[in-house]
Amino acid sequence: MSLLPRRWFPFLDWPRPDAALLRGELAAALTVAVVMIPQSVAYAGLAGMPLVTGLYATFLPALAAVLFSRSTRLSVGPSALSAVLVGASLVGLAEPGSAQWVALAVWLALLSGVLQLAVGASGASWMLNLVSAPVLAGFSQAAAVLIIMSQLPALLGLQEGSLAALLRVPPPRLPWESLAYGVGSLAAFELGKRWLPRLPMVLVVLAFTAIVSAATGFDRRGAVLGALPAGFPSLYVPGLLAWEQFLALLAPALVITLVSSLEMAASAKIESQREGRRWDASQDLIGQGMGKLTAAFSGAFPVSTSFSRSAITLYAGARTGWATVFATGLVLLVLMFLTPALYYVPAPVLAAVVMAAVVGLLKPRMFVALWRLQRIEAGIAAATFVVTLLSAPRIYWGVLTGVVLGLVHFLHHRLHPRIVEVGLHPDGSLRDRHRWKLAPLAADTYGLRMDDELDFASASALERQVMEHVATHPEVRHLCLFAQPINRIDATGVEVFGQLRRFLASRGITLHVSGLKLPVERMLRRAGELDDGPLLRLHRTDPEAIAALAAPQQRDSSANSNFNSEGRGS
């Protein structure tokens, strides 16, 4: 078979299964399915969708994603962040759980799926860098807080869906039975995680509470999951959107695409590192896009990669995509035969499932660690956190704010490159002369190093610094640009370099350039800015330049005969 199909259909590279492989993959599938199935139902509620759509989103979408992804052990399905983004994005546009709400959620899946598919197919995976780690961290912290707050009423058995209801209910009238289900389940999850990590505590708690609920008739006194439709999901084709609705969904779809892609990247990088191979970001984005499109036509909501479930899949011993195939088969069994078993599960238990899953996102020490590393990025994370909370339910504005602030910080850095006057350190290296209190390279010499690209964003800063120094130090007769860190130059950089050369020449100042990289040198030579002249010296290495600056007979020489342009640069 030709290489093209294998490039676009990575499942063709899966190993042919044997009995030993299938046993291991089935065991891993069972391990992840006992967590995946209850979480999927719970996250559907978090997204405001009918609960059965959580199973729809875990069945065919997961299968489509693994078939078209290069990383075969990603657990694709409903995730906490994607689900809360869906629920928050549609508030005010429709009633949760209604047919219109489902249609809008399907459109979110379509739009975000097309975006991911386009980014992956075009090889533009660099767009993931638009959301920095501090932005995602700030958003996930705020989202976790909002998710927990949204689930507290259900956990406590309050019917009004608001914590304010708690203040209006006298203690004797509190729904103690519902509260016991919710708080007891949450405690069991946390204790099981600490003391019985190998026990599928979520499945055990759901089964136990469903049995107790059915035996005591809790469905007549409190909220239960109720009847879920059984059977294979039908093909869902949404109607056309009004233009106003389309515009309202664009920003949420973009944010879902970015957040989902970063969730996928976090898990895929771990898998590729364990296997010692290069991560194929473009192909994995194609897989994620296919998963979302499949979710849309299944009548579900946008899916994503669950970091926790992917970790379970990985550490349960899964080796190929066959584990996901078996896991989706288990979901199909639940859809076909076991949905009646979920009828009596108390709603507070489902809220406990969500809260137990997202509590791990709360990491307040992250802000302290960022503050110690980089205060500006810590500020961006904090701003993302605050805006996400304040903009609720339109929490996607938090991510967009973080992205804008990150780009502003990036542009500020590019417009203010690091340009330092250097001196010779006792260890033989060139360092910031003022920070290390070093002597100038020579009495009438100004040596500077630019730790950046020489382009339209940074060139004016170099020009300004050189002109200001020459104006305040009229004794300067030699200026040495240590250019080894400059790995790129554009037309603006070439123009500014030429202007500086002519400015220095007009004052009788010799320009020394050390360590030009080959791409930069070629650009300058094509522009004629490195033509031999009495006031231009080119040096292969920094030690050669330092030696030339230190020797008067070499500094005052009018020739540049020892410079060979062949074989320089890197």
Side-chain angles (χ1 to χ4, degrees):
M1 188 172 288
S2 65
L3 293 178
L4 182 60
R6 291 189 178 275
R7 172 65 181 88
W8 289 98
F9 304 105
F11 61 86
L12 296 176
D13 292 329
W14 290 5
R16 182 169 296 180
D18 53 28
L21 176 65
L22 292 180
R23 282 196 299 270
E25 300 298 88
L26 181 58
L30 286 169
T31 302
V32 72
V34 297
V35 177
M36 179 173 64
I37 292 171
Q39 275 191 0
S40 299
V41 175
Y43 290 157
L46 185 61
M49 295 286 287
L51 297 182
V52 73
T53 61
L55 296 175
Y56 294 164
T58 314
F59 175 40
L60 292 178
L63 189 59
V66 75
L67 289 176
F68 291 93
S69 295
R70 188 63 61 183
S71 302
T72 57
R73 288 173 287 184
L74 302 180
S75 180
V76 176
S79 73
L81 290 182
S82 294
V84 73
L85 276 169
V86 172
S89 301
L90 301 183
V91 170
L93 299 179
E95 187 68 24
S98 65
Q100 179 65 9
W101 183 283
V102 172
L104 293 176
V106 164
W107 269 106
L108 277 178
L110 283 172
L111 292 173
S112 56
V114 168
L115 285 173
Q116 268 186 322
L117 198 59
V119 171
S122 63
S125 56
W126 54 266
M127 293 181 64
L128 300 186
N129 298 328
L130 289 174
V131 181
S132 64
V135 172
L136 184 62
F139 173 74
S140 62
Q141 299 292 296
V145 171
L146 293 172
I147 291 171
I148 290 173
M149 296 297 290
S150 70
Q151 296 301 303
L152 269 177
L155 184 81
L156 302 176
L158 300 177
Q159 299 297 320
E160 295 185 37
S162 171
L163 288 179
L166 183 61
L167 303 177
R168 297 194 294 270
V169 178
R173 295 182 53 197
L174 279 174
W176 296 108
E177 192 175 6
S178 297
L179 190 147
Y181 277 119
V183 176
S185 298
L186 188 60
F189 294 150
E190 293 304 313
L191 291 174
K193 188 186 305 181
R194 179 171 300 183
W195 300 107
L196 298 169
R198 294 184 176 277
L199 186 68
M201 188 57 71
V202 174
L203 191 64
V204 170
V205 169
L206 257 65
F208 177 76
T209 55
I211 292 172
V212 173
S213 170
T216 60
F218 175 73
D219 59 310
R220 297 190 296 271
R221 301 183 299 277
V224 295
L225 264 64
L228 299 181
F232 199 84
S234 302
L235 176 65
Y236 187 96
V237 180
L240 294 177
L241 282 178
W243 180 245
E244 295 78 9
Q245 292 176 319
F246 177 78
L247 293 178
L249 295 182
L250 273 183
L254 176 61
V255 172
I256 289 172
T257 301
L258 290 172
V259 172
S260 168
S261 299
L262 291 171
E263 285 187 304
M264 175 270 294
S267 298
K269 287 178 181 178
I270 293 176
E271 179 178 338
S272 60
Q273 288 168 3
R274 280 180 62 114
E275 293 186 350
R277 59 173 173 82
R278 185 182 67 85
W279 175 44
D280 191 345
S282 296
Q283 190 61 47
D284 284 347
L285 283 169
I286 290 173
Q288 294 289 306
M290 293 298 293
K292 285 181 173 60
L293 293 180
T294 307
F297 292 116
S298 298
F301 50 99
V303 295
S304 184
T305 298
S306 167
F307 182 82
S308 59
R309 295 198 305 266
S310 296
I312 292 173
T313 304
L314 197 62
Y315 293 111
R319 293 166 52 195
T320 68
W322 290 108
T324 298
V325 173
F326 287 139
T328 57
L330 293 172
V331 175
L332 178 60
L333 288 178
V334 173
L335 277 170
M336 299 299 293
F337 306 111
L338 299 179
T339 53
L342 299 174
Y343 181 94
Y344 290 102
V345 174
V349 177
L350 212 59
V353 171
V354 175
M355 293 183 69
V358 302
V359 72
L361 295 176
L362 288 175
K363 298 176 182 177
R365 293 183 181 178
M366 175 274 301
F367 292 104
V368 178
L370 274 177
W371 183 261
R372 291 173 179 170
L373 287 175
Q374 232 284 351
R375 294 189 176 184
I376 293 179
E377 291 195 304
I380 292 174
T384 304
F385 176 83
V386 172
V387 173
T388 301
L389 290 179
L390 295 181
S391 62
R394 303 285 186 249
I395 61 174
Y396 50 83
W397 287 113
V399 174
L400 296 177
T401 299
V403 169
V404 171
L405 290 176
L407 290 175
V408 169
H409 173 52
F410 172 77
L411 288 175
H412 181 271
H413 171 76
R414 294 288 290 110
L415 291 168
H416 299 81
R418 185 172 186 264
I419 304 173
V420 296
E421 182 179 1
V422 295
L424 190 60
H425 193 270
D427 65 6
S429 63
L430 291 171
R431 300 195 184 185
D432 187 335
R433 187 175 81 80
H434 300 288
R435 180 176 183 181
W436 293 91
K437 298 179 174 58
L438 303 174
L441 293 175
D444 57 354
T445 299
Y446 177 43
L448 75 161
R449 186 185 68 223
M450 182 175 182
D451 298 332
D452 212 322
E453 299 176 357
L454 184 56
D455 59 11
F456 72 96
S458 60
S460 60
L462 176 64
E463 182 181 32
R464 182 172 59 251
Q465 182 148 334
V466 169
M467 289 185 171
E468 288 177 355
H469 186 88
V470 170
T472 55
H473 298 80
E475 73 281 3
V476 170
R477 285 294 171 265
H478 296 268
L479 185 146
C480 185
L481 174 62
F482 293 93
Q484 203 278 335
I486 302 174
N487 56 18
R488 178 181 171 274
I489 189 170
D490 66 359
T492 304
V494 170
E495 180 182 352
V496 169
F497 181 89
Q499 291 172 353
L500 283 176
R501 180 183 174 182
R502 289 183 285 276
F503 167 76
L504 295 171
S506 69
R507 284 163 171 73
I509 299 173
T510 302
L511 173 61
H512 299 256
V513 183
S514 171
L516 270 179
K517 290 187 174 178
L518 193 56
V520 178
E521 181 196 335
R522 282 175 175 168
M523 285 277 289
L524 291 172
R525 285 199 179 279
R526 282 200 294 266
E529 297 296 348
L530 293 183
D531 294 343
D532 291 344
L535 295 176
L536 177 66
R537 306 285 183 273
L538 301 178
H539 308 279
R540 292 186 183 90
T541 64
D542 292 350
E544 179 183 306
I546 295 170
L549 292 168
Q553 68 275 15
Q554 294 185 46
R555 298 199 308 152
D556 297 335
S557 172
S558 62
N560 194 24
S561 59
N562 68 333
F563 185 78
N564 183 359
S565 64
E566 296 298 327
R568 285 191 324 278
S570 58

